[in-house]
Amino acid sequence: MRLRALLLAALMAGQAARAAPDPAQAALEAAQMLEQASIALTEAETARDRVRALTETIQAYEAGLAAMRDGLRRAALRESQLTAELNAREREIRQLLGVLQTIETTAPPVLMLHPAGPLGAARTGMMLSEVTPGLNTRAQALARDLDEVQTLRRLQQSAADTLTEGLEGVQNARTKLSEAIADRTDLPRRFIEDPVRTAILISSTETLDGFASGLSEISDGEILASNADVSQLKGQIPLPTQGVILHRSGETDAAGVTRPGLVLGTRPRALVLSPTAATIRYRGPLLDLGNLVILEPQPGLLFVFSGLQEVYGDPGQVIPEGTPVGLMPGQTPEIGAILSTSGDGTGTDRPETLYIEVRENNSPVDPESWFRTDKDG
C-alpha cells in the first residue's frame, strides 16, 4: 500500500533524530487507521459507508504525513547540529587523527627511547597507555557522529518520493470523498431548505447574530422537532480539526477585531468534521466570514465553523458524529517546504484559520465551555 513507505519513513525519521517517540507512535497509529479504513472501503456498499471509510483514510494519510513532517524536521535539525559541531571541532579532529596516525606508524624500538632513560620511557609508556583509550573513544564517537550525518542525509534524500506518493494519495482520497458525499442520499432530514427564503435572509442580515436568529425562516415547511442532547459532553467535545489556537474568545486579533469565538490555525486542505451528531442548519457563504457551516447538535445550541473553502452536506440533513462538513483552503506545500527546518511546530505550518463560534439560545458563549482545547494537534 502506498502509505506504508510513508509511515516507515516517518518511523525511521523519528528514530534517527533521537527524538521523543511521538512521531513514530503517531505513524504506527496512522498505519493501523489506514489498514482499518482500507478494509472498510473495500466492504463499503453504500455512499454513506464510503464517506465513513474515505474519512478514515484521509485521517490516516494526514496523521502519517504529519508524523513524517515532524520526524524529518527533527532529523534535519539533528543533522545541522552535528554538522556545526563537527565544523567547530575541525582543528581538534585533525590533531586527533595526527596523534593516532603517529602512534600507529611509529616503530616500537623508537617508542622505547627516552632522554631520561628506561625509567622515563616506562613513565611515558604508562601515560600513553592511559591516553590512548581516551583517544580511541573520541575517535569512535567521531565516527558515530559522521555515520549519523550520512544516515540522516540519505533519509532526507529518499523522503521526497515518499512524500510525493503520500500527498497524491490524500488528494485522491479527498476527491473520492467529495464524490461519495454527493452520492449520499440515505441521511435523515429534519427540513428542506427553501433557496429563495435563504437568499432573502442573507441579503437582509448584516451580522451573524441576525442570520442565526432567522434560521427558522429558511425551511420549505415545518422543521421537525428534535430531542437530541449533547449536554453530557459539555467541555469534552473534540475540536472539528487538528490545529493550534491562535486567538481565544474575546481576544483581539492582529486586525483589531474582537470576536466571541476562537480562531484555530490549521494546515492547508485540512478535513473539518462534525464533532457530534448534528443537523446541518446552513452551509455556504455568509457576510465576510467566507464559507461556513452551522450545525445544531441539540435544540438551542449552534456550532458555527467559518473559513472553509469547500462545504459538504445539505441543510436539513442529520449527520453522524465524525461526518466531514468541509475542507480548509490553501495549497498543499511543495516538498522542499515540507522538508524545511524553518517550521517549529508552533503554528507556522498551519497558515489557514478556522473560526469557531458557539451559540446558546442565540447568544454567543465561550467555545471552550463546550470544546476540549487542552490538546492541540
Side-chain angles (χ1 to χ4, degrees), residues 348-364:
T348 55
D349 59 344
R350 296 174 173 87
E352 307 305 327
T353 55
L354 178 70
Y355 176 69
I356 301 173
E357 184 167 314
V358 177
R359 306 180 67 82
E360 291 185 44
N361 300 317
N362 206 32
S363 296

Side-chain angles (χ1 to χ4, degrees), residues 3 6 30 33-34 37-38 41 50-66 166-181 241-242 268-273 312 324 326-327:
L3 189 59
L6 171 69
M33 289 171 58
L34 187 74
S38 298
L41 189 59
R50 289 197 297 275
V51 168
R52 183 184 304 110
L54 284 165
T55 300
E56 294 174 357
T57 301
I58 292 172
Q59 288 177 313
Y61 269 113
E62 289 181 343
L65 287 167
L167 293 171
E168 290 176 353
V170 72
Q171 182 56 39
N172 290 336
R174 288 174 182 142
T175 301
K176 292 179 181 179
L177 176 64
S178 298
E179 295 171 354
I181 289 176
T241 190
Q242 289 189 339
R269 309 297 289 163
L271 190 64
V272 179
L273 309 178
Y312 300 141
L327 278 175

Side-chain angles (χ1 to χ4, degrees), residues 55 59 62 237-243 262 264 266 270-276 293 295 303-306 308 322-326 328 354-358 367 371-373:
T55 300
Q59 288 177 313
E62 289 181 343
I237 296 176
L239 291 168
T241 190
Q242 289 189 339
L262 64 82
L264 198 67
T266 78
L271 190 64
V272 179
L273 309 178
S274 175
T276 66
V293 173
L295 303 177
F303 292 161
V304 181
F305 305 143
S306 74
L308 301 164
T323 299
V325 294
M328 295 300 294
L354 178 70
Y355 176 69
I356 301 173
E357 184 167 314
V358 177
F371 286 96
R372 186 180 70 248
T373 59

Side-chain angles (χ1 to χ4, degrees), residues 23 28 36 45 50 53 58 80 115 122 145 193 233 244 252 291 330 376:
L28 293 176
Q36 295 170 0
E45 297 180 355
R50 289 197 297 275
I58 292 172
S80 298
D145 288 348
E193 181 188 29
L233 301 176
V244 293
T252 302
N291 271 337
D376 296 338

Side-chain angles (χ1 to χ4, degrees), residues 118-141:
L119 182 58
R123 289 175 177 171
T124 301
M126 293 173 64
M127 293 174 60
L128 191 59
S129 65
E130 293 177 358
V131 171
T132 301
L135 293 174
N136 286 331
T137 299
R138 290 165 63 189
Q140 292 171 3

Side-chain angles (χ1 to χ4, degrees), residues 288-313:
D288 61 345
L289 299 173
N291 271 337
L292 59 78
V293 173
I294 300 179
L295 303 177
E296 183 185 68
Q298 68 182 34
L301 177 66
L302 298 177
F303 292 161
V304 181
F305 305 143
S306 74
L308 301 164
Q309 177 169 313
E310 299 175 33
V311 287
Y312 300 141

Side-chain angles (χ1 to χ4, degrees), residues 23 62 70 89 118 131 194 202 208 225 236 246 294 306 309 361:
E62 289 181 343
D70 192 10
R89 292 159 50 194
V131 171
D194 185 326
I202 292 174
L208 179 58
Q236 297 300 317
L246 303 180
I294 300 179
S306 74
Q309 177 169 313
N361 300 317

